[in-house]
Amino acid sequence: MTSSRKLLVAAGCLGIGAATIALGRPVEERPAASVLAAGPRVSVAARWRTTVDTIRRGEPLSVALERAGLAPAEAAQALSAASALDPRKVRDGTPITNKVDPDSGAYEVVLQLAIDRVVRFTRSVGRSWVEKEETLPWTTDTVVVGGVVNSTLTGAIAAGAGAFPERQRTELAYALADILEYRVDLSRDLQPGDSIRVMVERQSAPTGLVRPGSIIAARLTVGGKPVETMRFKQGTRVAYFDGDGKSMRAAFLRAPLAFRRISSVFGLRRHPILGTLRRHAGTDYAAAAGTPVRALGNGRVIFAGWKGGYGKTVELRHTNGFVTRYGHLRAFNVRSGQSVSIAQTIGQVGSTGLSTAPHLHFEVLVNGVHRDPRVALRNQSGEPLAAAQRAAFVQLKARLFAQLDQPSVVTTGRYGPARPRGE
């Protein structure tokens, strides 16, 4: 073999070896992200475009749908499927959510009619619309809230009910006032340092919204004396009773205004117009003109008209020799001889007669003698429980108030007397 041929064979061997090494070397791994970035970009964004809006004041629902991206024909088709709601009566501020495909148009419209009520319109394959009403499930637990009175019951609840949003705390205070109004004049009897503890259901929606449910039990301490109430079920009837088993609903309310504050109290004072010291035989409730005035109890109208310095006045005769008088009214809704029921609106707060500003002058007479309303109405309690219910009531009361006195309580059960088998 010549020398040139030997060189050619050696070069071929080297080439084959290099190729063999290259083929045997592992391929370097590259992250998927770099592969995608190196090649043509592919959009992975959702095709749906979702918009959230609210119905504006005086705006037809169809206009709100069109503003959200639906064509006029699509909006008309969606509303034609409505049966669970009247499109003309959807309130302003109602949340509305639309899901729209840029190519094929609207797919879904959701109206949040209430915290727990949704109406959903969905477009089917055939482009017709289907309506579905949904009730969102609530979960319920039980919490204890409480606070110390600085000025009002509402303020005490607002400070101590951190388990609820601020607006819901006010609603809780009003619900409690509705239960206690037969036993306590919340605008007059409460004093700084009094306290309140309430066991209440807390309802939570899947959206995270929270609201108070039924009040289970409560203790309001007024001047060192407890006023207790609890929810008790008798068959299908649920009512509130005090700690002694008497109904919280009594023959008389403790105040003639549902939302009120008192500007002066029973006793001697200097008359603001006459300037003389004279007996002020009643209680004044300062309130805005037009505030509804309610009958303190069932009775009959014995006077409705102008009564000297009282201005426009209504007088009611009740049982057991009680007469209630309501003065300085702007107007009254009743006439002499008419029967009225407890809490019925009989007039509106005004400033007629010898009055310097809108307020209600309220008096109680017993057998023709003026009495301090706070004293005269204090012992007017409700009917007691039937004897057959006493044992269940006592057992439930012990359990509820033991829970109420715990520093911090959150439970998941509902409270009530044990049900008989088969109920």
Side-chain angles (χ1 to χ4, degrees):
M1 182 180 294
T2 64
S3 57
S4 59
R5 184 176 179 83
K6 290 181 180 179
L7 290 173
L8 181 62
V9 172
C13 292
L14 290 174
I16 293 172
T20 304
I21 294 172
L23 290 173
R25 181 181 299 165
V27 177
E28 180 183 358
E29 294 185 1
R30 299 173 62 191
S34 65
V35 175
L36 291 175
R41 292 187 177 272
V42 178
S43 174
V44 294
R47 295 177 57 83
W48 299 113
R49 176 167 52 87
T50 301
T51 61
V52 180
D53 200 356
T54 56
I55 308 299
R56 297 175 182 175
R57 185 176 182 86
E59 178 181 58
L61 182 55
S62 59
V63 174
L65 295 177
E66 293 173 20
R67 189 177 67 252
L70 276 72
E74 290 177 324
Q77 291 171 0
L79 293 180
S80 67
S83 61
L85 59 84
D86 185 344
R88 298 167 299 178
K89 296 182 179 179
V90 177
R91 296 180 298 178
D92 58 279
T94 298
I96 178 171
T97 303
N98 303 284
K99 186 180 288 187
V100 180
D101 184 291
D103 297 330
S104 59
Y107 168 72
E108 186 179 70
V109 177
V110 180
L111 292 173
Q112 184 90 33
L113 298 181
I115 292 178
D116 56 354
R117 183 183 174 215
V118 167
V119 173
R120 188 183 306 273
F121 297 95
T122 305
R123 195 179 64 188
S124 64
V125 177
R127 300 192 67 82
S128 61
W129 288 85
V130 178
E131 178 196 47
K132 182 180 180 181
E133 184 176 8
E134 301 175 4
T135 301
L136 302 179
W138 291 82
T139 59
T140 302
D141 59 5
T142 306
V143 298
V144 172
V145 301
V148 176
V149 175
N150 290 320
S151 58
T152 65
L153 177 68
T154 304
I157 293 293
F164 299 100
E166 184 174 354
R167 187 174 66 177
Q168 305 297 339
R169 300 176 202 177
T170 301
E171 293 183 9
L172 174 58
Y174 289 161
L176 182 61
D178 289 341
I179 299 170
L180 296 174
E181 65 179 349
Y182 291 87
R183 300 300 179 87
V184 183
D185 184 343
L186 296 171
S187 62
R188 174 64 186 91
D189 293 344
L190 291 187
Q191 300 294 325
D194 292 341
S195 61
I196 178 70
R197 286 185 69 80
V198 187
M199 180 184 294
V200 59
E201 291 178 343
R202 178 176 58 183
Q203 299 175 343
S204 303
T207 58
L209 296 172
V210 176
R211 69 183 182 186
S214 299
I215 292 173
I216 305 301
R219 180 188 293 114
L220 176 65
T221 302
V222 183
K225 298 180 180 179
V227 178
E228 295 178 336
T229 184
M230 57 177 278
R231 189 171 181 262
F232 186 73
K233 185 175 182 180
Q234 301 172 282
T236 59
R237 179 175 172 266
V238 176
Y240 288 90
F241 295 84
D242 65 16
D244 296 324
K246 294 181 179 179
S247 172
M248 291 297 291
R249 294 184 63 89
F252 292 99
L253 299 167
R254 288 298 306 273
L257 301 180
F259 303 97
R260 64 270 184 200
R261 63 182 177 86
I262 295 181
S263 60
S264 62
V265 297
F266 185 90
L268 292 177
R269 68 162 189 172
R270 187 169 297 278
H271 195 276
I273 293 179
L274 300 178
T276 58
L277 195 65
R278 56 189 296 180
R279 184 169 183 79
H280 186 234
T283 301
D284 285 352
Y285 291 81
T291 301
V293 177
R294 56 188 186 172
L296 222 67
N298 297 334
R300 183 175 296 277
V301 181
I302 59 175
F303 183 85
W306 189 273
K307 197 177 186 71
Y310 289 101
K312 292 183 178 180
T313 302
V314 171
E315 294 179 353
L316 305 178
R317 185 181 301 281
H318 311 277
T319 58
N320 300 326
F322 278 71
V323 171
T324 54
R325 178 178 292 156
Y326 312 79
H328 303 313
L329 302 177
R330 182 173 75 176
F332 38 79
N333 303 7
V334 293
R335 62 183 184 278
S336 294
Q338 177 181 342
S339 295
V340 298
S341 57
I342 188 170
Q344 178 179 334
T345 298
I346 58 174
Q348 295 85 43
V349 169
S351 188
T352 57
L354 293 177
S355 170
T356 57
H359 71 285
L360 173 69
H361 176 77
F362 173 68
E363 296 180 5
V364 172
L365 297 89
V366 181
N367 297 321
V369 179
H370 282 100
R371 296 283 304 279
D372 183 342
R374 292 175 297 165
V375 176
L377 301 172
R378 181 172 296 160
N379 296 322
Q380 303 297 317
S381 58
E383 293 294 322
L385 273 169
Q389 300 288 336
R390 291 291 301 178
F393 176 84
V394 171
Q395 181 182 9
L396 179 61
K397 177 191 172 185
R399 182 158 58 95
L400 291 184
F401 283 92
Q403 293 279 355
L404 190 70
D405 291 332
Q406 295 297 318
S408 178
V409 178
V410 177
T411 64
T412 56
R414 288 181 177 271
Y415 288 91
R419 295 184 178 182
R421 291 183 180 181
E423 182 176 341

